[in-house]
Amino acid sequence: MKSNSYLLPLYNRLDVSFVKGKKSVLYDEEGKDYIDFSSGVGVNSLGYCNKKVVKTIENQANKILHTSNIYQIKSQEECAKKIVELSTYDMQCFFCNSGAEANESAIKLARKYGNTAFSKPKYKIITIKNSFHGRTIATLKATAQEDKHKYFGPYPDGFVYANDIKEAISLIDDSTVAVMLELIQGEGGIFMQDIKEVKELSEILKSKKLLLIIDEVQTGVYRSGKFLISHYFKIEPNIITLAKGLATGIPIGVMMTNLKDVLKAGDHGSTFGGNHFSTTVCKEVLNVLEEYKNSGNLKKNIRYFNNCLNYFVDTYTNLFSKKTGFGFMQGIVLKDEKKLEEIIKIALKNRILVLKSGKNIIRFLPPLNISKKEMKQGFKRFENALIEIKK
């Protein structure tokens, strides 16, 4: 596929262009079908052309798309109520347009808290090695991957990197205001944090009146099987960020917090964030996903997906060393990282879409409502790709 002279060359795009989708299947310009185990990097939580979502989009487009946060937006209030109720935490929401913006909001909130709640201001935020929190200047600096920092400095001060949770605890000092982490690292290798260590960190932060920020941009919205993966860890974060799967493709992000009195009018804002269109669609997506989860089908399909991935690890021992991750956010670890790009390209040739994570992991982020039939077909194509590689 030829590059477009009008676009900056920021993506290593694969040689395919999709024109439509249905459920968990995408179709290219020639009408060929592809089983999607990537869901737009975890965005298309309900796959493609979900009837209820399409109807909601059509109805809202015929009413109103956007005004401004200068005015009351009823759908935003209703959407916030839904998110807070599903979270089970006593929080309030700020709406924006992406995960990076949600994390930027979290950083600003933490900094204001640190500068107003203590006699000596606190500003340092500790993040974990191989984390990924966004591509803005602040969230890029919060991302503890040095190779991503080249060329874009100088950066704002106050971000400290720890190799793991234990080191994060040891790095807490008089200038620390928060620890920010993904409970499963998405871009950094589908690495799941230890539940006991996270609980210990949470208790220590609470005892010092410091903040725990949980980045659930990729793990949230039922990807783990529950609305938030935080629920499995039995912790109470001070700040949670969400985006990706909230509106199955409509841009939206949320920063939610139990710090209800720190940010005041004018401290932060967003032109597009939480408009009529995005919050109406988000609310409908959450209703559909809640019903799907409560039916037991989400849990059942995650179990089947998990068993399929176990099969590949057990069968292709020459290629894979183990499975990693949780729920519908999983990866299989390659013994030879040089095969990563090859497998993704040959999988595409066999019309199955998978992702990479880190340097040696095949990542799977299917739509949450993917059917057993679609999974069977997808894994059959994935195995055909692996057989082709072995030849």
Side-chain angles (χ1 to χ4, degrees), residues 128-148:
I128 308 299
K129 182 181 178 182
N130 292 326
S131 60
F132 184 85
H133 298 295
R135 298 184 187 274
T136 65
I137 289 295
T139 58
L140 185 61
K141 187 59 177 174
T143 294
Q145 298 185 49
E146 292 288 355
D147 62 324
K148 294 188 182 297

Side-chain angles (χ1 to χ4, degrees), residues 197-209:
E197 290 180 1
V198 172
K199 287 184 73 173
E200 180 187 1
L201 171 65
S202 178
E203 289 166 6
I204 289 170
L205 291 172
K206 189 175 182 179
S207 71
K208 296 176 180 290
K209 297 184 179 179

